[in-house]
Short mmCIF file of all heavy atoms in Angstrom, two decimals:
data_model
loop_
_atom_site.label_atom_id
_atom_site.label_comp_id
_atom_site.label_asym_id
_atom_site.label_seq_id
_atom_site.Cartn_x
_atom_site.Cartn_y
_atom_site.Cartn_z
N MET A 81 0.82 -1.18 0.03
CA MET A 81 -0.01 -0.01 0.04
C MET A 81 0.96 1.26 -0.01
O MET A 81 2.03 1.18 0.50
CB MET A 81 -0.98 -0.04 1.21
CG MET A 81 -2.17 0.71 1.02
SD MET A 81 -3.73 0.02 1.06
CE MET A 81 -3.98 -0.72 2.62
N SER A 82 0.39 2.34 -0.49
CA SER A 82 1.21 3.48 -0.52
C SER A 82 1.73 4.15 0.82
O SER A 82 2.72 4.70 0.80
CB SER A 82 0.44 4.53 -1.32
OG SER A 82 -0.91 4.90 -0.74
N GLN A 83 0.94 3.74 1.83
CA GLN A 83 1.25 4.24 3.12
C GLN A 83 1.01 3.15 4.10
O GLN A 83 0.10 2.42 3.99
CB GLN A 83 0.43 5.41 3.68
CG GLN A 83 0.75 6.69 2.84
CD GLN A 83 -0.24 7.91 3.39
OE1 GLN A 83 -1.07 8.34 2.61
NE2 GLN A 83 0.08 8.21 4.66
N LYS A 84 1.84 3.08 5.14
CA LYS A 84 1.71 2.12 6.41
C LYS A 84 0.86 2.71 7.43
O LYS A 84 0.24 1.96 8.21
CB LYS A 84 3.10 1.58 6.78
CG LYS A 84 3.79 0.64 5.77
CD LYS A 84 2.81 -0.59 5.40
CE LYS A 84 3.57 -1.58 4.50
NZ LYS A 84 2.53 -2.68 4.17
N THR A 85 1.06 4.05 7.55
CA THR A 85 0.32 4.67 8.56
C THR A 85 -0.31 5.99 8.06
O THR A 85 0.38 6.51 7.15
CB THR A 85 1.13 5.11 9.77
OG1 THR A 85 2.19 5.94 9.40
CG2 THR A 85 1.68 3.79 10.57
N ALA A 86 -1.38 6.47 8.54
CA ALA A 86 -2.01 7.74 8.16
C ALA A 86 -2.59 8.29 9.40
O ALA A 86 -3.44 7.82 10.07
CB ALA A 86 -3.09 7.54 7.08
N ALA A 87 -2.32 9.72 9.61
CA ALA A 87 -2.87 10.48 10.67
C ALA A 87 -3.92 11.40 9.81
O ALA A 87 -3.50 12.20 8.87
CB ALA A 87 -1.92 11.31 11.30
N MET A 88 -5.20 11.36 10.36
CA MET A 88 -6.21 12.24 9.69
C MET A 88 -7.07 12.89 10.73
O MET A 88 -7.00 12.55 11.95
CB MET A 88 -7.08 11.25 8.85
CG MET A 88 -6.40 10.52 7.76
SD MET A 88 -7.47 9.32 6.85
CE MET A 88 -8.48 10.47 6.04
N LYS A 89 -7.73 13.92 10.42
CA LYS A 89 -8.65 14.73 11.25
C LYS A 89 -10.08 14.37 10.68
O LYS A 89 -10.25 14.10 9.44
CB LYS A 89 -8.37 16.15 11.24
CG LYS A 89 -7.09 16.47 11.69
CD LYS A 89 -6.90 17.98 11.58
CE LYS A 89 -5.45 18.38 12.12
NZ LYS A 89 -5.11 19.76 11.90
N THR A 90 -10.97 14.34 11.43
CA THR A 90 -12.42 14.07 11.11
C THR A 90 -12.73 14.99 9.99
O THR A 90 -12.50 16.19 9.96
CB THR A 90 -13.46 14.21 12.33
OG1 THR A 90 -13.28 15.66 12.84
CG2 THR A 90 -13.29 13.25 13.32
N GLY A 91 -13.34 14.31 8.98
CA GLY A 91 -13.85 15.12 7.79
C GLY A 91 -12.86 15.04 6.64
O GLY A 91 -13.13 15.37 5.52
N ASP A 92 -11.60 14.64 7.03
CA ASP A 92 -10.55 14.48 5.97
C ASP A 92 -10.74 13.43 5.05
O ASP A 92 -11.22 12.40 5.43
CB ASP A 92 -9.12 14.45 6.62
CG ASP A 92 -8.53 15.69 7.06
OD1 ASP A 92 -9.26 16.71 7.03
OD2 ASP A 92 -7.55 15.65 7.85
N SER A 93 -10.04 13.50 3.81
CA SER A 93 -10.16 12.28 2.92
C SER A 93 -8.57 12.08 2.57
O SER A 93 -7.89 12.94 2.47
CB SER A 93 -10.88 12.53 1.73
OG SER A 93 -12.20 12.75 2.00
N LYS A 94 -8.29 10.80 2.18
CA LYS A 94 -6.93 10.55 1.83
C LYS A 94 -6.93 9.26 0.86
O LYS A 94 -7.77 8.35 1.10
CB LYS A 94 -6.10 10.16 3.01
CG LYS A 94 -4.64 9.77 2.63
CD LYS A 94 -3.83 9.49 3.96
CE LYS A 94 -3.64 10.71 4.79
NZ LYS A 94 -2.66 11.76 4.36
N GLN A 95 -6.33 9.52 -0.24
CA GLN A 95 -6.33 8.43 -1.35
C GLN A 95 -5.18 7.51 -1.08
O GLN A 95 -4.04 7.78 -1.01
CB GLN A 95 -6.17 9.02 -2.72
CG GLN A 95 -6.23 8.01 -3.88
CD GLN A 95 -7.66 7.45 -3.98
OE1 GLN A 95 -8.67 8.13 -4.11
NE2 GLN A 95 -7.68 6.03 -3.87
N LEU A 96 -5.44 6.24 -1.03
CA LEU A 96 -4.49 5.08 -0.80
C LEU A 96 -4.35 4.45 -2.09
O LEU A 96 -5.30 4.35 -2.92
CB LEU A 96 -4.90 4.11 0.27
CG LEU A 96 -4.94 4.70 1.72
CD1 LEU A 96 -5.41 3.67 2.65
CD2 LEU A 96 -3.70 5.30 2.13
N SER A 97 -3.25 3.90 -2.39
CA SER A 97 -2.90 3.20 -3.74
C SER A 97 -2.16 1.92 -3.38
O SER A 97 -1.56 1.84 -2.45
CB SER A 97 -2.27 4.01 -4.74
OG SER A 97 -1.05 4.47 -4.22
N VAL A 98 -2.26 0.94 -4.34
CA VAL A 98 -1.67 -0.30 -4.22
C VAL A 98 -0.78 -0.41 -5.47
O VAL A 98 -1.24 -0.15 -6.57
CB VAL A 98 -2.67 -1.47 -4.23
CG1 VAL A 98 -2.01 -2.78 -4.24
CG2 VAL A 98 -3.52 -1.41 -3.08
N THR A 99 0.38 -0.94 -5.28
CA THR A 99 1.43 -1.10 -6.32
C THR A 99 1.18 -2.58 -6.76
O THR A 99 1.33 -3.48 -5.88
CB THR A 99 2.77 -0.90 -5.99
OG1 THR A 99 2.87 0.42 -5.59
CG2 THR A 99 3.71 -1.04 -7.23
N VAL A 100 0.90 -2.85 -8.01
CA VAL A 100 0.70 -4.23 -8.52
C VAL A 100 1.90 -4.71 -9.22
O VAL A 100 2.48 -3.97 -10.13
CB VAL A 100 -0.48 -4.39 -9.42
CG1 VAL A 100 -0.83 -5.75 -9.94
CG2 VAL A 100 -1.77 -3.74 -8.63
N ALA A 101 2.47 -5.72 -8.86
CA ALA A 101 3.54 -6.48 -9.61
C ALA A 101 3.26 -8.04 -9.94
O ALA A 101 2.57 -8.59 -9.06
CB ALA A 101 4.78 -6.35 -8.81
N PRO A 102 3.63 -8.43 -11.00
CA PRO A 102 4.43 -7.77 -12.13
C PRO A 102 3.55 -6.88 -12.89
O PRO A 102 2.23 -6.93 -12.73
CB PRO A 102 4.90 -8.97 -12.84
CG PRO A 102 3.90 -9.98 -12.77
CD PRO A 102 3.32 -9.87 -11.32
N ASP A 103 4.03 -6.08 -13.82
CA ASP A 103 3.44 -5.15 -14.60
C ASP A 103 2.27 -5.88 -15.44
O ASP A 103 1.25 -5.28 -15.96
CB ASP A 103 4.27 -4.30 -15.43
CG ASP A 103 4.99 -3.24 -14.77
OD1 ASP A 103 4.53 -3.01 -13.54
OD2 ASP A 103 6.17 -2.87 -15.14
N ASN A 104 2.58 -7.07 -15.86
CA ASN A 104 1.61 -7.80 -16.76
C ASN A 104 0.58 -8.66 -16.01
O ASN A 104 0.00 -9.61 -16.49
CB ASN A 104 2.33 -8.66 -17.70
CG ASN A 104 3.14 -9.70 -17.05
OD1 ASN A 104 3.29 -9.79 -15.74
ND2 ASN A 104 3.75 -10.60 -17.89
N ALA A 105 0.35 -8.44 -14.75
CA ALA A 105 -0.55 -9.17 -13.87
C ALA A 105 -1.90 -9.01 -14.47
O ALA A 105 -2.35 -7.89 -15.02
CB ALA A 105 -0.60 -8.61 -12.48
N THR A 106 -2.77 -10.06 -14.54
CA THR A 106 -4.09 -9.94 -15.15
C THR A 106 -4.99 -9.30 -14.33
O THR A 106 -5.96 -8.65 -14.85
CB THR A 106 -4.51 -11.41 -15.58
OG1 THR A 106 -4.57 -12.22 -14.40
CG2 THR A 106 -3.69 -12.08 -16.65
N ASP A 107 -4.92 -9.36 -12.94
CA ASP A 107 -5.86 -8.67 -12.09
C ASP A 107 -5.19 -7.78 -11.49
O ASP A 107 -4.32 -7.99 -10.44
CB ASP A 107 -6.50 -9.72 -11.13
CG ASP A 107 -7.61 -9.13 -10.25
OD1 ASP A 107 -7.93 -8.02 -10.52
OD2 ASP A 107 -8.16 -9.87 -9.40
N LYS A 108 -5.53 -6.50 -11.65
CA LYS A 108 -4.87 -5.38 -11.02
C LYS A 108 -5.83 -4.53 -10.10
O LYS A 108 -5.69 -3.39 -9.63
CB LYS A 108 -4.30 -4.36 -12.08
CG LYS A 108 -3.12 -5.00 -12.77
CD LYS A 108 -2.52 -3.93 -13.76
CE LYS A 108 -1.30 -4.57 -14.37
NZ LYS A 108 -0.45 -3.60 -15.14
N THR A 109 -7.05 -5.10 -9.74
CA THR A 109 -8.03 -4.42 -8.96
C THR A 109 -7.99 -4.97 -7.54
O THR A 109 -8.19 -6.05 -7.34
CB THR A 109 -9.41 -4.57 -9.64
OG1 THR A 109 -9.46 -4.24 -10.97
CG2 THR A 109 -10.40 -3.83 -8.78
N ALA A 110 -7.70 -4.13 -6.66
CA ALA A 110 -7.59 -4.29 -5.17
C ALA A 110 -9.06 -4.18 -4.52
O ALA A 110 -9.78 -3.35 -4.96
CB ALA A 110 -6.62 -3.53 -4.45
N THR A 111 -9.36 -4.82 -3.61
CA THR A 111 -10.61 -4.79 -2.79
C THR A 111 -10.11 -4.09 -1.45
O THR A 111 -9.26 -4.65 -0.76
CB THR A 111 -11.17 -6.02 -2.58
OG1 THR A 111 -11.49 -6.82 -3.83
CG2 THR A 111 -12.51 -5.91 -1.69
N PHE A 112 -10.77 -3.04 -1.16
CA PHE A 112 -10.37 -2.37 0.15
C PHE A 112 -11.61 -2.50 1.17
O PHE A 112 -12.70 -2.58 0.97
CB PHE A 112 -10.28 -0.85 -0.11
CG PHE A 112 -9.20 -0.39 -0.97
CD1 PHE A 112 -9.37 -0.39 -2.39
CD2 PHE A 112 -7.87 -0.11 -0.45
CE1 PHE A 112 -8.19 0.00 -3.22
CE2 PHE A 112 -6.84 0.11 -1.30
CZ PHE A 112 -6.99 0.20 -2.71
N SER A 113 -11.08 -2.65 2.51
CA SER A 113 -12.01 -2.71 3.57
C SER A 113 -11.38 -1.97 4.76
O SER A 113 -10.30 -1.77 4.92
CB SER A 113 -12.32 -4.11 3.94
OG SER A 113 -11.07 -4.72 4.45
N SER A 114 -12.42 -1.64 5.72
CA SER A 114 -12.03 -0.92 6.98
C SER A 114 -12.43 -1.80 8.09
O SER A 114 -13.41 -2.36 8.08
CB SER A 114 -12.84 0.33 7.06
OG SER A 114 -12.58 0.98 8.40
N SER A 115 -11.49 -1.81 9.08
CA SER A 115 -11.77 -2.67 10.24
C SER A 115 -12.90 -2.06 11.22
O SER A 115 -13.45 -2.65 12.11
CB SER A 115 -10.51 -2.86 11.25
OG SER A 115 -10.02 -1.55 11.67
N ASP A 116 -13.08 -0.69 11.06
CA ASP A 116 -14.09 -0.02 11.88
C ASP A 116 -14.61 1.31 11.06
O ASP A 116 -14.03 2.31 11.05
CB ASP A 116 -13.46 0.62 13.16
CG ASP A 116 -14.54 1.12 14.22
OD1 ASP A 116 -15.59 1.36 13.72
OD2 ASP A 116 -14.09 1.24 15.30
N GLU A 117 -15.72 1.01 10.44
CA GLU A 117 -16.29 2.06 9.51
C GLU A 117 -16.87 3.16 10.34
O GLU A 117 -17.23 4.21 9.76
CB GLU A 117 -17.32 1.43 8.50
CG GLU A 117 -16.61 0.53 7.60
CD GLU A 117 -17.54 0.16 6.36
OE1 GLU A 117 -18.72 0.31 6.42
OE2 GLU A 117 -16.89 -0.25 5.34
N THR A 118 -16.96 3.08 11.61
CA THR A 118 -17.50 4.21 12.38
C THR A 118 -16.28 5.21 12.62
O THR A 118 -16.58 6.34 12.88
CB THR A 118 -17.98 3.78 13.80
OG1 THR A 118 -16.93 3.26 14.61
CG2 THR A 118 -19.23 2.79 13.64
N VAL A 119 -15.02 4.86 12.36
CA VAL A 119 -13.85 5.69 12.49
C VAL A 119 -13.50 6.13 11.12
O VAL A 119 -13.16 7.38 10.90
CB VAL A 119 -12.72 5.00 13.30
CG1 VAL A 119 -11.45 5.75 13.26
CG2 VAL A 119 -13.08 4.59 14.62
N ALA A 120 -13.33 5.12 10.21
CA ALA A 120 -12.72 5.46 8.85
C ALA A 120 -13.53 4.49 7.80
O ALA A 120 -13.54 3.38 8.11
CB ALA A 120 -11.28 5.43 8.70
N THR A 121 -14.06 5.19 6.79
CA THR A 121 -14.54 4.43 5.67
C THR A 121 -13.60 4.38 4.56
O THR A 121 -12.73 5.20 4.39
CB THR A 121 -15.87 5.00 5.22
OG1 THR A 121 -15.76 6.24 4.76
CG2 THR A 121 -16.87 4.98 6.44
N VAL A 122 -13.80 3.41 3.63
CA VAL A 122 -12.90 3.36 2.47
C VAL A 122 -13.67 2.92 1.25
O VAL A 122 -14.61 1.99 1.40
CB VAL A 122 -11.58 2.48 2.61
CG1 VAL A 122 -11.97 1.06 2.87
CG2 VAL A 122 -10.61 2.65 1.43
N ASP A 123 -13.68 3.52 0.04
CA ASP A 123 -14.40 3.08 -1.08
C ASP A 123 -13.67 2.09 -1.88
O ASP A 123 -12.42 1.77 -1.72
CB ASP A 123 -14.94 4.29 -1.72
CG ASP A 123 -13.97 5.02 -2.53
OD1 ASP A 123 -12.76 4.76 -2.65
OD2 ASP A 123 -14.25 6.22 -2.99
N ALA A 124 -14.17 1.78 -3.05
CA ALA A 124 -13.57 0.67 -3.95
C ALA A 124 -12.24 1.25 -4.59
O ALA A 124 -11.51 0.38 -5.12
CB ALA A 124 -14.65 0.37 -5.04
N THR A 125 -12.11 2.62 -4.63
CA THR A 125 -10.86 2.97 -5.28
C THR A 125 -9.72 3.32 -4.23
O THR A 125 -8.63 3.85 -4.53
CB THR A 125 -11.16 4.44 -5.86
OG1 THR A 125 -11.48 5.52 -4.88
CG2 THR A 125 -12.34 4.38 -6.91
N GLY A 126 -10.07 3.20 -2.88
CA GLY A 126 -9.02 3.27 -1.89
C GLY A 126 -9.01 4.70 -1.23
O GLY A 126 -8.10 5.15 -0.48
N LEU A 127 -10.10 5.51 -1.42
CA LEU A 127 -10.41 6.77 -0.81
C LEU A 127 -10.88 6.67 0.56
O LEU A 127 -11.96 6.13 0.78
CB LEU A 127 -11.42 7.69 -1.63
CG LEU A 127 -11.51 9.03 -1.17
CD1 LEU A 127 -10.13 9.81 -1.24
CD2 LEU A 127 -12.58 9.77 -1.91
N VAL A 128 -10.04 6.97 1.56
CA VAL A 128 -10.38 6.92 2.93
C VAL A 128 -10.97 8.21 3.46
O VAL A 128 -10.50 9.25 3.22
CB VAL A 128 -9.10 6.53 3.69
CG1 VAL A 128 -9.41 6.41 5.27
CG2 VAL A 128 -8.60 5.29 3.22
N LYS A 129 -12.13 8.06 4.16
CA LYS A 129 -12.67 9.29 4.75
C LYS A 129 -12.73 9.00 6.29
O LYS A 129 -13.21 7.96 6.76
CB LYS A 129 -14.11 9.43 4.23
CG LYS A 129 -14.12 9.75 2.78
CD LYS A 129 -15.55 9.99 2.27
CE LYS A 129 -15.60 10.44 0.74
NZ LYS A 129 -16.85 10.53 0.24
N ALA A 130 -12.19 10.04 7.01
CA ALA A 130 -12.31 10.08 8.47
C ALA A 130 -13.56 10.51 9.05
O ALA A 130 -14.05 11.55 8.65
CB ALA A 130 -11.11 10.96 9.02
N VAL A 131 -14.12 9.55 9.83
CA VAL A 131 -15.47 9.80 10.37
C VAL A 131 -15.48 10.36 11.85
O VAL A 131 -16.11 11.39 12.02
CB VAL A 131 -16.31 8.49 10.28
CG1 VAL A 131 -17.79 8.71 10.85
CG2 VAL A 131 -16.40 8.09 8.74
N LYS A 132 -14.73 9.65 12.69
CA LYS A 132 -14.73 10.14 14.07
C LYS A 132 -13.43 9.69 14.60
O LYS A 132 -12.74 8.75 14.13
CB LYS A 132 -15.92 9.57 14.83
CG LYS A 132 -15.72 8.04 15.18
CD LYS A 132 -16.86 7.63 16.10
CE LYS A 132 -16.57 6.22 16.63
NZ LYS A 132 -17.46 5.75 17.70
N ALA A 133 -12.96 10.31 15.76
CA ALA A 133 -11.81 9.94 16.45
C ALA A 133 -11.74 8.40 16.77
O ALA A 133 -12.56 7.90 17.24
CB ALA A 133 -11.57 10.85 17.69
N GLY A 134 -10.56 7.95 16.58
CA GLY A 134 -10.14 6.56 16.84
C GLY A 134 -9.17 6.01 15.84
O GLY A 134 -8.60 6.69 15.23
N THR A 135 -9.11 4.59 15.91
CA THR A 135 -8.19 3.95 15.01
C THR A 135 -8.89 2.94 14.13
O THR A 135 -9.80 2.26 14.58
CB THR A 135 -7.02 3.36 15.76
OG1 THR A 135 -7.47 2.31 16.69
CG2 THR A 135 -6.08 4.32 16.44
N ALA A 136 -8.41 2.72 13.01
CA ALA A 136 -8.95 1.69 12.14
C ALA A 136 -7.87 1.25 11.22
O ALA A 136 -6.90 1.85 10.87
CB ALA A 136 -10.01 2.25 11.34
N THR A 137 -8.02 -0.04 10.79
CA THR A 137 -6.98 -0.57 9.77
C THR A 137 -7.60 -0.74 8.43
O THR A 137 -8.72 -1.36 8.32
CB THR A 137 -6.56 -2.01 10.30
OG1 THR A 137 -5.89 -1.86 11.55
CG2 THR A 137 -5.58 -2.58 9.39
N ILE A 138 -7.17 -0.18 7.38
CA ILE A 138 -7.54 -0.28 6.02
C ILE A 138 -6.80 -1.45 5.42
O ILE A 138 -5.51 -1.51 5.44
CB ILE A 138 -7.29 0.97 5.21
CG1 ILE A 138 -8.07 2.17 5.95
CG2 ILE A 138 -7.83 0.86 3.92
CD1 ILE A 138 -9.49 2.05 6.20
N THR A 139 -7.55 -2.40 4.85
CA THR A 139 -6.83 -3.49 4.23
C THR A 139 -7.13 -3.53 2.84
O THR A 139 -8.30 -3.31 2.34
CB THR A 139 -7.46 -4.90 4.93
OG1 THR A 139 -7.10 -4.85 6.17
CG2 THR A 139 -6.70 -6.05 4.27
N ALA A 140 -6.10 -3.79 2.00
CA ALA A 140 -6.23 -3.92 0.56
C ALA A 140 -5.90 -5.39 0.22
O ALA A 140 -4.99 -6.00 0.68
CB ALA A 140 -5.31 -3.04 -0.21
N THR A 141 -6.77 -6.05 -0.54
CA THR A 141 -6.72 -7.43 -0.80
C THR A 141 -6.62 -7.58 -2.43
O THR A 141 -7.57 -6.93 -3.07
CB THR A 141 -7.85 -8.23 -0.33
OG1 THR A 141 -7.95 -8.10 1.12
CG2 THR A 141 -7.59 -9.86 -0.71
N LEU A 142 -5.63 -8.21 -2.95
CA LEU A 142 -5.45 -8.38 -4.42
C LEU A 142 -4.77 -9.82 -4.54
O LEU A 142 -3.70 -10.11 -4.04
CB LEU A 142 -4.58 -7.36 -4.79
CG LEU A 142 -4.10 -7.47 -6.34
CD1 LEU A 142 -5.42 -7.20 -7.19
CD2 LEU A 142 -3.10 -6.42 -6.65
N ASP A 143 -5.47 -10.66 -5.29
CA ASP A 143 -4.91 -11.91 -5.67
C ASP A 143 -4.61 -12.67 -4.48
O ASP A 143 -3.59 -13.41 -4.44
CB ASP A 143 -3.86 -11.86 -6.61
CG ASP A 143 -3.58 -13.17 -7.34
OD1 ASP A 143 -4.52 -13.91 -7.55
OD2 ASP A 143 -2.45 -13.32 -7.80
N GLY A 144 -5.51 -12.78 -3.33
CA GLY A 144 -5.20 -13.47 -2.15
C GLY A 144 -4.12 -12.92 -1.27
O GLY A 144 -3.94 -13.54 -0.13
N LYS A 145 -3.42 -11.78 -1.59
CA LYS A 145 -2.52 -11.15 -0.73
C LYS A 145 -3.13 -9.89 -0.16
O LYS A 145 -3.98 -9.23 -0.88
CB LYS A 145 -1.37 -10.87 -1.62
CG LYS A 145 -0.47 -11.99 -2.16
CD LYS A 145 0.69 -11.65 -2.96
CE LYS A 145 1.34 -12.86 -3.40
NZ LYS A 145 0.73 -13.50 -4.40
N THR A 146 -2.73 -9.57 1.04
CA THR A 146 -3.19 -8.31 1.68
C THR A 146 -2.06 -7.39 2.12
O THR A 146 -0.89 -7.88 2.32
CB THR A 146 -3.97 -8.75 3.03
OG1 THR A 146 -3.13 -9.46 3.92
CG2 THR A 146 -5.20 -9.57 2.60
N ASP A 147 -2.44 -6.16 2.27
CA ASP A 147 -1.56 -5.17 2.82
C ASP A 147 -2.43 -4.12 3.58
O ASP A 147 -3.63 -4.12 3.27
CB ASP A 147 -0.80 -4.47 1.74
CG ASP A 147 0.36 -3.61 2.14
OD1 ASP A 147 0.75 -3.83 3.41
OD2 ASP A 147 1.09 -3.05 1.42
N THR A 148 -1.83 -3.54 4.69
CA THR A 148 -2.66 -2.72 5.49
C THR A 148 -2.12 -1.34 5.71
O THR A 148 -0.89 -1.08 5.50
CB THR A 148 -2.86 -3.39 6.88
OG1 THR A 148 -1.53 -3.55 7.39
CG2 THR A 148 -3.55 -4.70 6.74
N THR A 149 -2.96 -0.42 6.11
CA THR A 149 -2.50 0.97 6.49
C THR A 149 -3.20 1.22 7.75
O THR A 149 -4.57 1.07 7.88
CB THR A 149 -2.88 2.12 5.46
OG1 THR A 149 -2.23 1.74 4.21
CG2 THR A 149 -2.66 3.36 5.86
N ALA A 150 -2.61 1.57 8.81
CA ALA A 150 -3.14 1.98 10.08
C ALA A 150 -3.60 3.40 10.08
O ALA A 150 -2.70 4.31 9.91
CB ALA A 150 -2.24 1.70 11.38
N VAL A 151 -4.88 3.67 10.26
CA VAL A 151 -5.30 4.99 10.27
C VAL A 151 -5.65 5.52 11.68
O VAL A 151 -6.47 4.75 12.38
CB VAL A 151 -6.67 5.12 9.30
CG1 VAL A 151 -7.27 6.47 9.42
CG2 VAL A 151 -6.15 4.68 7.95
N THR A 152 -5.15 6.65 12.01
CA THR A 152 -5.49 7.25 13.40
C THR A 152 -6.27 8.50 13.02
O THR A 152 -5.77 9.52 12.34
CB THR A 152 -4.26 7.55 14.20
OG1 THR A 152 -3.62 6.37 14.41
CG2 THR A 152 -4.62 8.09 15.53
N VAL A 153 -7.43 8.71 13.58
CA VAL A 153 -8.31 9.85 13.21
C VAL A 153 -8.47 10.62 14.56
O VAL A 153 -8.65 10.05 15.75
CB VAL A 153 -9.79 9.43 12.76
CG1 VAL A 153 -10.51 10.61 12.58
CG2 VAL A 153 -9.58 8.61 11.46
N THR A 154 -8.12 11.83 14.62
CA THR A 154 -8.36 12.77 15.68
C THR A 154 -9.48 13.79 15.40
O THR A 154 -9.69 14.25 14.22
CB THR A 154 -7.10 13.58 15.98
OG1 THR A 154 -6.65 14.34 14.88
CG2 THR A 154 -5.99 12.66 16.39
N ASP A 155 -10.05 14.38 16.37
CA ASP A 155 -11.16 15.27 16.23
C ASP A 155 -10.60 16.65 16.89
O ASP A 155 -10.35 16.91 18.00
CB ASP A 155 -12.31 15.00 17.08
CG ASP A 155 -13.63 15.83 16.88
OD1 ASP A 155 -13.37 17.02 16.27
OD2 ASP A 155 -14.71 15.54 17.34
N PRO A 156 -10.32 17.52 15.87
CA PRO A 156 -9.69 18.91 16.09
C PRO A 156 -10.68 19.78 17.12
O PRO A 156 -10.10 20.63 17.70
CB PRO A 156 -9.39 19.53 14.89
CG PRO A 156 -10.36 18.91 13.86
CD PRO A 156 -10.58 17.46 14.36
N THR A 157 -11.86 19.48 17.12
CA THR A 157 -12.83 20.20 17.89
C THR A 157 -12.99 19.74 19.27
O THR A 157 -13.64 20.36 20.08
CB THR A 157 -14.23 20.30 17.35
OG1 THR A 157 -14.77 18.87 17.24
CG2 THR A 157 -14.10 20.87 15.80
N ALA A 158 -12.35 18.54 19.61
CA ALA A 158 -12.52 17.94 21.02
C ALA A 158 -11.50 18.52 21.90
O ALA A 158 -10.44 18.96 21.47
CB ALA A 158 -12.43 16.49 20.93
#
């Protein structure tokens, strides 16, 4: 994944990406998921949105392999 950790504030968005190797791989589409969607959500393109303060792990899965990014969300108004 493009980042191993990400610090975000509530309301922020961050684009994550996955590097696919080899270049001629037939399936280059990763599936993204969040361990806690009340803290951070992620869409099919890897766009993470910070929802509320806390921590979540974003996982990308591609061809049976996984990689993760640890996301920490803070609330600047708290």
Side-chain angles (χ1 to χ4, degrees):
M81 205 119 57
S82 54
Q83 291 182 248
K84 289 299 182 185
T85 61
M88 301 175 70
K89 296 177 183 172
T90 53
D92 284 354
S93 296
K94 182 176 294 285
Q95 183 67 54
L96 298 177
S97 61
V98 176
T99 301
V100 180
D103 288 336
N104 64 350
T106 55
D107 184 4
K108 294 186 176 189
T109 306
T111 304
F112 293 91
S113 62
S114 172
S115 65
D116 190 343
E117 292 195 343
T118 66
V119 173
T121 61
V122 61
D123 70 11
T125 68
L127 182 65
V128 179
K129 293 184 180 178
V131 178
K132 72 171 190 175
T135 58
T137 301
I138 304 300
T139 303
T141 304
L142 175 66
D143 197 27
K145 296 178 177 71
T146 61
D147 199 2
T148 60
T149 297
V151 175
T152 301
V153 178
T154 56
D155 185 348
T157 64

